[in-house]
Structure formats: C-alpha cells, structure tokens
Amino acid sequence: MKILVTGAAGFIGFHVALNLVQKGHEVLGLDNINGYYDTKLKFARLNLLGISQIDATPFNIVCSSQLHGGNFRFVRMDIENREKLPKLFRKEKFDIVCNLAAQAGVRYSLENPEVYVDSNVVGFLNILECCRHFKIKHLVYASSSSVYGLNKNIPFKIEDSVDKPISLYAATKKSNELMAHSYSNLFGIPTTGLRFFTVYGPWGRPDMALFLFTDAIAKNKPIKVFNNGQMARDFTYIEDIVEGVIRVIEGDLNERITTENLYKLYNIGNNKAVKLLDFIKEIESNLKKTAIKEMLPMQSGDVENTWANIDDLIKDYNYYPKTSVKIGVKNFVLWFKEYYKL
C-alpha cells in the first residue's frame, strides 16, 4: 500500500514509518520539524530512514531515502498548509493516511495555545478535507489518553465520558475525534482514532518523564516528582504501540464498510498502571544511581492515574502488548547512553 505518515520525524511517527517500510509498504513521511524540542533528534531519526539533514531542511520538496529508495520518501511541510497539502495528495494518490502529526505536550499548551489550534485543529481539518477529496481508503489518527480528563473510572473505557478535558491539548484531541466522526458520517470515510497511553522507548521525546528523569539522574541533578509521587501511568513501550498501529493500518475494512461502521475509536496502551515511583526505581537501577527527588504538588493539566482498557483492540485486532516496564526502561537507558555517549 501507499501510505502517508505525518509526524514522521517525531517519536511515534519515525518508528511507524520505519516498520511500514520494512514490511514492504511505500511510505511518504511528512513533518514540519518544528522547534518544540531539539531538532537534532528529529534529523537523527530521519537519518535512520535514509534522509539527510540537507535533504530534509527545505520545505515542500519531496526527497528519496538513501537507504530505502522510493519505498521511503520525505517532505517537510505543515499539515495546516491549505495550498501545498492538497497538491501533495493529488500528486501522490495515497491509499491510507496515518496522521501522527500534532503539537504535543500538556504543559506547553498552557503557554502557547495558538500553536495547538493551528496544528491539532486546523491541520487535522486539512487532513480530513484531503481524505475527503482524494478518496483515501482509511484515515488512522492519533488521539490521546488525555481526553479522559477528570474521569474517575479505572481502567479508562472508550465508552466513558470525555466531556471534561483539563488541558487545551486534550480538548484539541477530543475535537479530532468529533471532526473524524462527522467526516465518516457525512462523506463515508473510514476513520480510526487511537488513544495513546504514555508512550516511551528509544528515540523518545525529550519532554517526556522518562527522558527528563534519565537525563537528570545521569547528571546528578534533582528530578521533579509531581503530586508527591502519588501518580500512576499506563506506560506503553514503543514497539507495542507500533505493532498496534500497523495492525490497524493493515486491517481488513470490509466488515466495517458493509455494516457502515466507519468511525472507530480504540485505547492503545499496556493495560496496566505503574506507579511513577516504581518507574523511577527502574531508571535508577539501570543507571546505578539514586535519584534526587524534588517532591511537588500536582501540576495544572495533569491527572493522577491513567490505565487503558484495551478489550476492543484485542477483540478486533488481536493486539496484546508484550513489553514490561523493566525491559522497556532498560532498552531506553541503553539507547540514551549510546546516543549521548555517556
């Protein structure tokens, strides 16, 4: 299949694009390589896909991989560009779109709300319009566990109310789900939203807890532990996430089309809540150092616990996450040491 993967220089997008190419699909990766975090990391991910920084730097020019040839190509582009994105769709004739491009981060949305609306709302609308006009067979897109907001039911189920987001980031992700529902209903586009739960692993984002904690502990600096450590997360290893995403991309849509069940949502997580302090202990064990903990109150936009009920994804796609936090953190720390030459 010919697949557009947006956010291809990002953490999840990079891993998804690489795995799709390795499975024989033709992939075009798209990313605007913004400066939300160190662009060197984004260019390094692209380099593993065979795209040099020189080739990836100009906007709106498609370049081919030096490793995978025509099976992977890349274009630097903003998804909210209403002129360039439709031209790309018209020329490339994609079968499937996997939209992983978004302005990420809960806390950053408190400081820069406009960026979230531009990318996550305007950009997603542009994606939907292109899917509508260029007959895309299936849109798979990233949502987030943050949509559950103040929901108290544990584990989180798709059927739970998500009407009380506590961050703008969460509100934009909920808007994506509502917009996808309307386009599935109005224009017959199969759409599948995946609510990701705290993804971690090699090549992860520097603003995520695992990266921040590992970096600080390695440098003997204090780590900020919010809610005095009384938090738990459904930490999900990147390989498990990628397997789930690709199962959805490659899945048979015939039954959904014939039953007019075009709009679907799934939780994709590890199906297990891990205490934050236990997560930190695994980092300490792998670095052979003890963290200096600065205990702080809960931050605005944060929730105390997350835990995914993934029964629907198991039933429909036979998805079973396999990686324990013990193994996942070990793999991340090994990558971190190698990447930063510690």
Side-chain angles (χ1 to χ4, degrees):
M1 291 185 290
K2 189 171 186 179
I3 304 167
L4 172 66
V5 177
T6 69
F11 174 34
I12 301 175
F14 154 68
H15 283 282
V16 168
L18 180 60
N19 276 264
L20 285 170
V21 170
Q22 290 171 341
K23 290 173 72 68
H25 297 288
E26 182 183 349
V27 177
L28 178 66
L30 179 153
D31 203 293
N32 67 358
I33 317 180
N34 67 26
Y36 170 61
Y37 60 81
D38 186 7
T39 58
K40 291 180 182 178
L41 185 60
K42 298 180 180 184
F43 283 120
R45 294 180 186 131
L46 288 174
N47 191 58
L48 288 182
L49 287 162
I51 303 295
S52 70
Q53 182 169 342
I54 292 174
D55 287 339
T57 297
F59 276 87
N60 308 319
I61 298 175
V62 176
C63 55
S64 294
S65 170
Q66 297 170 10
L67 296 176
H68 305 289
N71 281 346
F72 183 76
R73 293 175 298 142
F74 177 79
V75 61
R76 186 176 188 181
M77 184 180 290
D78 291 307
I79 60 171
E80 59 264 37
N81 190 320
R82 291 177 179 166
E83 176 189 355
K84 298 296 183 181
L85 193 68
K87 287 183 178 179
L88 184 72
F89 271 73
R90 183 179 293 110
K91 179 181 179 182
E92 296 293 340
K93 298 179 173 57
F94 302 113
D95 297 307
I96 289 176
V97 173
C98 180
N99 184 53
L100 302 174
Q103 178 57 58
V106 170
R107 290 164 194 156
Y108 188 68
S109 67
L110 302 176
E111 305 163 12
N112 297 275
E114 296 86 359
V115 178
Y116 287 78
V117 173
D118 290 343
S119 179
N120 301 5
V121 180
V122 175
F124 191 69
L125 175 63
N126 206 18
I127 291 285
L128 285 168
E129 277 290 284
C130 288
C131 290
R132 168 192 175 188
H133 291 294
F134 299 101
K135 310 303 179 186
I136 299 302
K137 296 174 184 176
H138 189 191
L139 168 63
V140 181
Y141 64 95
S143 186
S144 168
S145 62
S146 67
V147 300
Y148 289 103
L150 296 175
N151 177 54
K152 299 298 183 183
N153 299 322
I154 297 291
F156 298 158
K157 298 179 181 178
I158 289 295
E159 298 80 13
D160 291 340
S161 172
V162 290
D163 294 332
K164 295 179 179 178
I166 58 172
S167 70
L168 180 63
Y169 171 71
T172 63
K173 285 301 183 180
K174 176 57 181 173
S175 77
N176 288 173
E177 297 176 0
L178 295 171
M179 293 159 73
H181 183 274
S182 67
Y183 271 68
S184 289
N185 182 60
L186 289 169
F187 307 115
I189 303 168
T191 66
T192 303
L194 298 172
R195 290 175 176 170
F196 293 124
F197 279 70
T198 316
V199 188
Y200 74 100
W203 296 99
R205 284 185 6 227
D207 64 319
M208 297 293 285
L210 176 56
F211 206 114
L212 292 169
F213 290 164
T214 302
D215 184 55
I217 295 169
K219 296 175 180 175
N220 300 310
K221 294 182 178 180
I223 62 173
K224 294 180 178 180
V225 182
F226 294 104
N227 200 31
N228 297 303
Q230 301 305 306
M231 299 175 76
R233 290 287 180 269
D234 194 336
F235 293 102
T236 315
Y237 191 61
I238 184 62
E239 287 184 5
D240 293 327
I241 286 287
V242 170
E243 181 183 346
V245 172
I246 291 180
R247 281 175 183 261
V248 172
I249 288 173
E250 295 182 334
D252 188 352
L253 289 175
N254 287 332
E255 182 178 347
R256 282 175 60 178
I257 293 170
T258 55
T259 59
E260 297 186 352
N261 192 17
L262 299 178
Y263 172 81
K264 292 288 287 186
L265 275 177
Y266 295 97
N267 288 331
I268 180 166
N270 197 41
N271 199 24
K272 183 184 300 181
V274 175
K275 292 180 180 178
L276 184 60
L277 292 177
D278 290 338
F279 194 67
I280 293 169
K281 284 179 183 177
E282 290 298 333
I283 303 171
E284 292 173 320
S285 175
N286 282 278
L287 287 174
K288 296 180 173 55
K289 288 189 174 186
T290 301
I292 306 166
K293 303 180 186 71
E294 182 183 353
M295 296 299 188
L296 297 169
M298 181 81 84
Q299 272 214 328
S300 298
D302 267 352
V303 296
E304 188 171 335
N305 299 307
T306 66
W307 180 1
N309 178 306
I310 59 171
D311 289 351
D312 291 344
L313 204 58
I314 291 172
K315 177 171 65 72
D316 292 350
Y317 291 98
N318 198 34
Y319 168 77
Y320 291 93
K322 303 178 179 69
T323 311
S324 68
V325 163
K326 189 176 190 66
I327 298 299
V329 171
K330 178 182 177 181
N331 291 345
F332 173 82
V333 172
L334 287 172
W335 168 82
F336 187 90
K337 287 180 175 179
E338 182 179 356
Y339 183 78
Y340 288 101
K341 297 178 174 56
L342 297 180

